[in-house]
Amino acid sequence: MFKSVAPILAQVPAEVCFGQQNRGMATLKSIQIRLKSVKNIQKITQSMKMVSAAKYARAERDLKQARPYGLGAQQFYEKAEVASKEEEPKKLYIAITSDRGLCGAVHTGIARSIRGDLTENPNIKVICVGDKSRAILQRLYGQNIEMVCNEIGRLPPTFLDAAKLTNAILNMGYEYTEGKIIYNKFKSVVSYAVANMPIFSLKAVESAEKLPVYDSLDSEVIQSYLEYSLASMLFYAMKEGACSEQSSRMTAMDNASKNAGEMIDKLTLTFNRTRQAVITRELIEIISGASALETKD
């Protein structure tokens, strides 16, 4: 109908053009802001995935060296058939988690396992290694938390950390008869499971039936070994937990990056369609206004 749009635009009042543009641009601007934020999130998740991949490689390498510590200590309790013979044992649970999140259900799995036992036996005392387990258990079972250890997970765990934790447990004033170290056992890059290792008091070890197999042992030697074995098992559990955490975080960040990519594609398509609709609507209104002015003249 019209050979050129420029003469028509010159005849249309400015408020007709800019009023419709402002109404359309509000939606376009909101989509553009959201698209930019999702792209920034994708960059962050991709960076976290790369960092977790590097930390996972180191954690898996360290775990192979730490396994003999934990497995060797467990063999002693199994071969000596150590068990608590008290009718009402004082139980102590040690939850191995960390202070860091964004790693799937690594921490919630441990807390869920402990929460089930606390429902059946409210007298169990809990030591939270890492702030995540404390945050989950404190709301309903705050009175059961005996001690909390922070600053866990920022750096790879060492045997010195396990030794300090062992010293704090032995000197906290609670005399337990038996307990568990609850941790995440690493299986593969995409698989881990909640596992536990038993711990016992000096009295329970001394009353073991097959303890004489290890030659004559006095209380001082047994006490020294219990301290060392507890540190060894804690060190092993912390290494298993760290490797499971890094692998789970790597998987979680990979999934988050893929989801962000899908959202970016959808938002880009929505942005293009909305922009095209705004342009088409403005052209129609401009042409209709010009036609109305020509008819009036």
Side-chain angles (χ1 to χ4, degrees):
M1 180 177 179
F2 298 97
K3 297 181 179 179
S4 177
V5 182
I8 302 174
L9 292 176
Q11 300 176 12
V12 180
E15 58 271 11
V16 175
C17 297
F18 294 108
Q20 293 298 328
Q21 186 178 10
N22 290 336
R23 289 203 300 269
M25 286 302 292
T27 305
L28 287 175
K29 188 173 183 180
S30 62
I31 296 174
Q32 195 172 16
I33 291 173
R34 188 178 179 189
L35 184 61
K36 184 177 180 181
S37 65
V38 174
K39 287 181 178 179
N40 291 335
I41 291 173
Q42 187 185 42
K43 292 179 181 178
I44 294 172
T45 55
Q46 287 175 345
S47 300
M48 292 184 66
K49 176 191 171 184
M50 295 174 63
V51 173
S52 297
K55 290 184 176 180
Y56 161 72
R58 178 180 177 181
E60 187 180 18
R61 185 171 61 251
D62 293 344
L63 177 59
K64 294 179 180 179
Q65 301 175 358
R67 276 202 173 113
Y69 288 91
L71 299 178
Q74 292 181 69
Q75 288 295 320
F76 170 76
Y77 296 113
E78 294 177 1
K79 299 298 181 181
E81 297 183 1
V82 181
S84 178
K85 298 181 179 180
E86 296 187 13
E87 296 180 358
E88 297 182 359
K90 294 182 179 180
K91 293 186 177 182
L92 176 69
Y93 283 8
I94 304 174
I96 305 296
T97 57
S98 74
D99 295 349
R100 308 185 66 190
L102 297 177
C103 51
V106 170
H107 306 313
T108 55
I110 293 177
R112 191 183 302 114
S113 175
I114 296 176
R115 199 161 47 200
D117 291 347
L118 289 175
T119 304
E120 299 176 358
N121 185 4
N123 296 323
I124 298 174
K125 296 297 181 181
V126 181
I127 294 177
C128 297
V129 181
D131 196 60
K132 287 298 179 180
S133 56
R134 179 204 60 80
I136 298 173
L137 296 174
Q138 189 175 25
R139 187 170 62 88
L140 296 176
Y141 303 101
Q143 71 278 4
N144 297 91
I145 298 176
E146 192 72 18
M147 186 173 66
V148 179
C149 302
N150 294 326
E151 296 298 325
I152 304 296
R154 187 170 58 88
L155 298 174
T158 62
F159 192 84
L160 180 60
D161 298 332
K164 291 180 179 179
L165 177 59
T166 302
N167 186 51
I169 293 172
L170 296 176
N171 296 327
M172 69 179 177
Y174 180 73
E175 297 182 358
Y176 62 92
T177 57
E178 64 178 32
K180 294 179 182 178
I181 300 175
I182 303 174
Y183 64 101
N184 286 301
K185 187 177 180 62
F186 174 77
K187 291 185 176 181
S188 66
V189 182
V190 294
S191 177
Y192 60 89
V194 178
N196 62 79
M197 291 182 290
I199 56 175
F200 299 96
S201 63
L202 175 63
K203 185 177 179 181
V205 175
E206 289 178 341
S207 61
E209 297 180 357
K210 294 188 177 182
L211 185 63
V213 175
Y214 294 91
D215 207 350
S216 58
L217 301 175
D218 55 9
S219 298
E220 185 177 353
V221 174
I222 296 175
Q223 180 64 31
S224 298
Y225 178 76
L226 286 180
E227 295 175 1
Y228 174 75
S229 64
L230 179 59
S232 299
M233 289 190 293
L234 286 174
F235 175 62
Y236 165 66
M238 292 169 72
K239 284 294 186 182
E240 286 274 9
C243 191
S244 301
E245 179 183 347
Q246 296 300 336
S247 65
S248 180
R249 181 176 290 112
M250 183 175 62
T251 305
M253 291 301 102
D254 182 46
N255 294 334
S257 299
K258 292 179 181 178
N259 293 337
E262 294 177 0
M263 188 175 293
I264 288 171
D265 294 338
K266 292 180 180 179
L267 287 174
T268 303
L269 182 61
T270 304
F271 178 80
N272 293 334
R273 286 179 175 176
T274 305
R275 183 179 60 180
Q276 186 65 38
V278 170
I279 294 172
T280 304
R281 185 175 67 249
E282 290 178 353
L283 286 175
I284 291 174
E285 291 178 353
I286 291 170
I287 295 171
S288 301
S291 300
L293 288 174
E294 287 188 352
T295 304
K296 185 177 179 180
D297 295 336

